[in-house]
């Protein structure tokens, strides 16, 4: 969907439930969750450990399946796809940024950026890829292998790889978790630019209120449910909400 349409939705779940195990040992990781992630926006997902935030992202990204309900990317119901079509959608319409970078050590930065396109037998949009490379500031590092790059540069390569196919949405799982605060801030700033200057959509799971402060909005989970939403988040505001969530039951009216 076009990021220029203020009402467009890049990804969403409807009545999403995910249960692990059976009987007395069953764990309800998602409990009837309905939430949409607008196109052209940067949204953070936060919650205490075990709240379901990573499960929500994995089901949205087609890396895990729902027990009930529906997950959509670009208006495509992921549950309606066979393995082959789901793999194709993940390669072409979804970008991933992981905490551990997940770069191929024998490939250069340029080859890592283009890897999803190469695997799909495509050269991609040359002008777009050039813009991506400049946006994340990697022009002078393209011939370097991961071992020759700093942690921050490696994660910028990972961000560029996620952007290369011009996906409908990028899912970022704790993207600054392995970085120091200064380097993490640089990576988050590049992700913010990808949204502001390139119209991309980013959904990020994080535990860090400072990282969440780069987002347009934060969705809070608790015990597998959406319990709050914050527009124009600040690190202080996010920290206060997280402390409240971790302290005990969600106040009435917040569920």
């Amino acid at each position: 969907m076009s990021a220029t349409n203020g009402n467009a939705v890049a990804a969403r779940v409807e009545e999403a439930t995910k249960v692990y195990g059976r009987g007395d040992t069953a764990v309800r990781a998602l409990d009837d969750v309905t939430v949409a992630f607008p196109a052209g926006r940067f949204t953070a997902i936060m919650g205490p450990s075990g709240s379901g935030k990573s499960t929500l992202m994995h089901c949205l990204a087609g890396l895990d399946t729902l027990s009930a309900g529906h997950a959509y990317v670009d208006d495509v119901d992921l549950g309606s796809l066979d393995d082959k079509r789901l793999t194709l959608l993940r390669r072409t319409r979804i970008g991933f940024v992981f905490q551990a970078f997940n770069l191929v050590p024998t490939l250069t930065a340029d080859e890592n950026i283009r890897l999803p396109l190469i695997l799909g037998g495509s050269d991609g949009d040359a002008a777009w890829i050039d813009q991506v490379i400049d946006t994340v500031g990697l022009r002078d590092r393209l011939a370097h292998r991961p071992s020759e790059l700093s942690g921050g540069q490696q994660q910028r390569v990972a961000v560029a790889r996620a952007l290369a196919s011009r996906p409908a949405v990028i899912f970022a799982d704790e993207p600054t978790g392995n970085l120091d605060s200064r380097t993490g801030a640089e990576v988050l700033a590049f992700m913010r630019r990808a949204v502001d200057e390139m119209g991309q959509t980013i959904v990020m799971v994080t535990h860090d209120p400072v990282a969440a402060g780069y987002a347009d909005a934060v969705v809070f989970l608790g015990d597998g449910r959406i319990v709050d939403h914050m527009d124009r988040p600040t690190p202080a505001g996010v920290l206060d909400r997280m402390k409240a969530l971790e302290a005990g039951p969600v106040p009435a009216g917040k569920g």
Side-chain angles (χ1 to χ4, degrees):
M1 287 196 169
S2 170
T4 60
N5 182 347
N7 296 319
V9 172
R12 71 187 194 275
V13 290
E14 296 178 354
E15 301 176 344
T17 295
K18 179 64 179 181
V19 179
Y20 294 103
R22 295 181 179 179
D24 293 340
T25 61
V27 175
R28 190 171 288 262
L30 293 177
D31 189 4
D32 196 28
V33 172
T34 296
V35 64
F37 297 94
R41 302 268 285 174
F42 190 164
T43 307
I45 302 175
M46 301 192 76
S49 178
S51 62
K53 56 187 184 294
S54 292
T55 301
L56 175 59
M57 172 171 284
H58 291 161
C59 291
L60 275 165
L63 299 174
D64 201 351
T65 56
L66 292 169
S67 303
H70 299 273
Y72 300 86
V73 170
D74 220 13
D75 268 345
V76 176
D77 186 343
L78 302 187
S80 71
L81 303 178
D82 59 23
D83 287 346
K84 183 176 181 180
R85 288 190 296 163
L86 182 59
T87 298
L88 180 61
L89 181 135
R90 281 199 302 256
R91 185 192 304 145
T92 59
R93 305 304 297 144
I94 298 174
F96 296 99
V97 181
F98 300 98
Q99 180 175 332
F101 313 148
N102 286 2
L103 302 181
V104 179
T106 56
L107 300 182
T108 64
D110 186 61
E111 290 165 340
N112 268 288
I113 290 168
R114 298 173 191 272
L115 185 59
L117 298 168
I118 294 169
L119 292 174
S122 168
D123 292 330
D125 181 332
W128 172 261
I129 294 172
D130 274 347
Q131 185 182 357
V132 167
I133 289 166
D134 289 334
T135 297
V136 298
L138 286 167
R139 181 66 59 188
D140 61 346
R141 292 289 185 268
L142 292 178
H144 292 65
R145 288 182 169 81
S147 62
E148 301 169 311
L149 301 173
S150 69
Q153 289 168 343
Q154 289 184 59
Q155 193 60 301
R156 279 150 56 188
V157 171
V159 172
R161 178 182 60 193
L163 288 164
S165 63
R166 212 168 192 158
V169 58
I170 291 171
F171 293 108
D173 191 359
E174 299 281 6
T176 59
N178 284 343
L179 304 176
D180 61 56
S181 58
R182 182 185 62 81
T183 306
E186 291 176 358
V187 170
L188 288 162
F190 287 123
M191 293 171 66
R192 181 73 254 177
R193 284 182 63 192
V195 174
D196 293 339
E197 299 176 13
M198 305 174 77
Q200 289 295 283
T201 305
I202 296 178
V203 178
M204 172 181 70
V205 165
T206 183
H207 70 279
D208 181 4
V210 173
Y214 284 81
D216 296 301
V218 182
V219 173
F220 295 91
L221 271 74
D223 295 326
R225 296 184 176 186
I226 304 292
V227 294
D228 206 357
H229 179 279
M230 182 184 293
D231 287 318
R232 297 180 297 278
T234 64
V238 171
L239 181 60
D240 286 346
R241 187 65 188 109
M242 286 296 296
K243 285 179 178 177
L245 279 175
E246 291 169 353
V250 178
K254 290 291 187 181

